[in-house]
């Protein structure tokens, strides 16, 4: 086999090998790709001068097909708060997500927690996506710890009064654009 034939055979073999690794996302279609109706994703630690270790993580989404009903949002979020070796954490199943511009309000039911009385209770969180200076608020800021005070309705929280610790904010808000 001459050099040119070997090169052609090698190129064909490489093309055949890589053709099997191309997923469906790479295949062109005539269908327009719809973005989800709203989303809140990311993780950050809150800034506290006393040294508290407070972390929030979000993976909340509202599908395009559910654009008219934010209570059909899906996903989870989690938070934890520790100081001097004591504290608590909670995992939450999303039951509502509303976004406007770079602000998101998400609520859900606590599914797992080591905070007594929190499981089964609704909590809400507000995020303001400001790039490296994100802010956050939570429903229990005025009602006490989850499970102690009144539960907010779906998609209700407080103003984003907390600052995210420098270098940790990576929240991303996909704005909701309902048809009015």
């Amino acid at each position: 086999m001459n050099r040119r034939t070997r090169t052609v055979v090698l190129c064909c073999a490489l093309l055949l090998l890589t053709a099997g690794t191309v997923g469906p996302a790479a295949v062109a279609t005539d269908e327009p790709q719809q973005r989800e109706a709203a989303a809140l994703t990311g993780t950050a630690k809150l800034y506290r001068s006393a040294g508290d270790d407070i972390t929030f993580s979000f993976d909340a989404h509202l599908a395009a097909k559910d654009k008219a009903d934010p209570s059909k949002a899906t996903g989870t979020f989690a938070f934890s708060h520790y100081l001097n070796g004591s504290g608590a954490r909670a995992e939450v199943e999303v039951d509502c997500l509303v976004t406007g511009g770079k602000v998101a309000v998400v609520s859900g039911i606590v599914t797992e927690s080591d905070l007594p009385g929190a499981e089964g209770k609704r909590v809400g969180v507000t995020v303001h996506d400001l790039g490296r200076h994100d802010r956050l608020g939570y429903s229990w800021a005025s009602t006490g710890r989850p499970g102690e005070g009144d539960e907010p309705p779906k998609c209700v929280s407080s103003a984003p009064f907390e600052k995210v610790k420098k270098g940790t904010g990576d929240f991303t808000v996909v704005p909701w654009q309902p048809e009015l």
Side-chain angles (χ1 to χ4, degrees), residues 62-63 65-73 95-97 154 176:
L62 180 63
K65 67 181 179 66
D66 296 322
K67 183 177 186 175
D69 188 357
S71 69
K72 291 196 176 177
D95 67 5
C96 191
L97 173 66
K154 287 183 178 183
W176 182 47

Side-chain angles (χ1 to χ4, degrees), residues 67-80:
K67 183 177 186 175
D69 188 357
S71 69
K72 291 196 176 177
T74 60
T76 60
F77 63 94
F79 55 91
S80 62

